[in-house]
Amino acid sequence: MEDQEVLPLHIVYEMFNLLNSPVPSEVFEDIRVHSLADIVAAAEIAVECLNEAHTKVDDFVSVVNQMSDKTFKENFRLERQTYNALLKVMRSKEDLMELFYPREKAAVNAEEGEFTFPQSGTEIVRMGTAILIALWYLANPDSMRVGGILFGVAKSTVFKCVHKFCMFLTAIKHKFITWPKSDEHLRSSEQGFFNKGFPGAVGAIDGCHIEISCPEKHRHSYTNRKCWTSMILQAVVSSDKLFIDVFVGYPGSVHDARVFRNSGLYEDTSSNPISRFPNRELYILGDSAYPLLPWLITPYRDSGRLTQQL
């Protein structure tokens, strides 16, 4: 059996080559695999070589800049003009710069458009690149290690970019996710729904399940009807498909109607309908999971007797 070769290890080397992994061929010279344990050992050798190589893509940002608008949206899940708007907003919010920089460096770095991470050394990431790193991680099923390889930064830097970017979005969300207050904004949304055949509607509500890692405790509470763990996002959108109200946090097993009755939207509107619907003829649309209310219109319930006339 010792002379029998089950699988030449150079085949494993070729497999890594297909993945563009920089595993030097000399690592595999004169080595042969005789068992599954040898294959595992070969993989461990290859991983060690990958870690030592610290492979990074040269100037991936320039590749992104050359992408067409369609390709950019496919990879980052938003329009390029939205990315440019985010960059502009982040550079203009000097009061929030301490989220990203030490206070003594905030003014300088804000002007230069760069992030610095003194906790992890001297690595510098420009603000535009930091946003791209965060968006890439949020939009793709890749690990932070892959993001670091693409953008030429450490995995810890990817984590900091994502974390601080999300903190920034949380800090400014109230300026963008807001109920239409002025008559002009209400009329605009109402006109959009009128054109779709729903006169008087100013919004549409529904729930969405956001997949999460399985919690150690209370797994059954987070397991939804499709048998995977999630957290529920309730959202209202305008006729332009813009979020105007969000409520998130309930575990996946909770029914949409219960989430709705515990949301700020229900509590505020129940106590003071005029605050959101100054005209009693205005309302929002919901599916059959929601209760029928003066300001929430749901479909007719079909118990088998519903006809076109009804």
Side-chain angles (χ1 to χ4, degrees):
M1 283 294 292
E2 291 184 0
D3 295 331
Q4 183 180 1
E5 296 178 355
V6 179
L7 178 68
L9 201 54
H10 66 80
I11 294 180
V12 180
Y13 166 65
E14 294 300 332
M15 292 170 60
F16 275 92
N17 274 345
L18 291 175
L19 297 173
N20 295 320
S21 300
V23 183
S25 58
E26 56 268 21
V27 172
F28 295 91
E29 290 181 356
D30 300 323
I31 301 178
R32 293 294 182 268
V33 174
H34 295 273
S35 67
L36 181 60
D38 291 336
I39 298 177
V40 174
E44 291 176 349
I45 293 174
V47 170
E48 288 179 4
C49 292
L50 291 176
N51 291 334
E52 292 174 0
H54 295 291
T55 308
K56 295 177 181 178
V57 177
D58 292 332
D59 202 12
F60 182 64
V61 175
S62 65
V63 176
V64 173
N65 292 335
Q66 294 172 15
M67 288 180 178
S68 66
D69 290 344
K70 179 182 178 181
T71 303
F72 185 92
K73 184 176 181 180
E74 289 175 349
N75 284 278
F76 293 93
R77 303 288 295 276
L78 83 172
E79 304 282 354
R80 190 187 297 273
Q81 62 184 18
T82 305
Y83 159 74
N84 291 330
L86 273 172
L87 181 59
K88 183 178 180 180
V89 170
M90 292 182 74
R91 285 176 171 166
S92 66
K93 297 293 182 180
E94 295 183 5
D95 56 324
L96 294 175
M97 280 301 147
E98 60 185 286
L99 285 176
F100 304 100
Y101 318 112
R103 184 179 296 275
E104 64 273 12
K105 295 184 178 181
V108 175
N109 288 333
E111 183 178 349
E112 294 177 355
E114 296 180 340
F115 287 161
T116 59
F117 301 109
Q119 309 97 310
S120 58
T122 59
E123 187 159 32
I124 296 177
V125 183
R126 296 191 64 82
M127 185 177 290
T129 303
I131 297 176
L132 290 175
I133 291 173
L135 290 175
W136 180 275
Y137 178 77
L138 295 172
N140 295 282
D142 292 335
S143 64
M144 290 188 176
R145 176 177 176 273
V146 172
I149 291 174
L150 282 175
F151 288 93
V153 298
K155 184 172 67 174
S156 60
T157 300
V158 176
F159 171 81
K160 291 184 176 69
C161 289
V162 173
H163 180 65
K164 293 186 177 185
F165 178 70
C166 291
M167 287 177 63
F168 188 88
L169 292 183
T170 302
I172 64 172
K173 69 180 189 302
H174 64 282
K175 296 183 178 295
F176 297 92
I177 304 176
T178 178
W179 194 269
K181 299 291 185 181
S182 66
D183 292 339
E184 179 183 355
H185 289 155
L186 278 172
R187 283 197 299 270
S188 175
S189 188
E190 182 183 4
Q191 184 62 44
F193 280 106
F194 179 84
N195 295 338
K196 294 177 174 65
F198 297 98
V202 294
I205 186 173
D206 203 357
C208 174
H209 287 266
I210 302 173
E211 187 172 5
I212 62 173
S213 299
C214 179
E216 294 183 3
K217 297 181 179 180
H218 310 296
R219 174 188 173 90
H220 65 282
S221 297
Y222 288 90
T223 303
N224 57 42
R225 57 188 175 84
K226 295 184 179 180
C227 299
W228 45 275
T229 53
S230 63
M231 189 172 288
I232 299 175
L233 164 69
Q234 173 188 284
V236 182
V237 297
S238 66
S239 59
D240 296 326
K241 301 178 182 179
L242 299 177
F243 286 99
I244 57 177
D245 186 89
V246 295
F247 178 69
V248 64
Y250 268 75
S253 65
V254 179
H255 192 273
D256 284 352
R258 182 182 173 191
V259 175
F260 170 69
R261 290 191 181 277
N262 285 277
S263 67
L265 171 66
Y266 178 81
E267 293 178 359
D268 295 344
T269 309
S270 296
S271 60
N272 185 17
I274 298 178
S275 63
R276 294 181 185 262
F277 303 97
N279 184 334
R280 292 196 173 188
E281 295 181 357
L282 300 180
Y283 59 90
I284 60 175
L285 296 165
D287 61 24
S288 57
Y290 294 96
L292 178 63
L293 299 170
W295 48 273
L296 173 55
I297 303 301
T298 59
Y300 285 104
R301 298 189 183 279
D302 186 3
S303 58
R305 301 180 179 180
L306 188 64
T307 65
Q308 189 68 32
Q309 289 73 23
L310 290 177

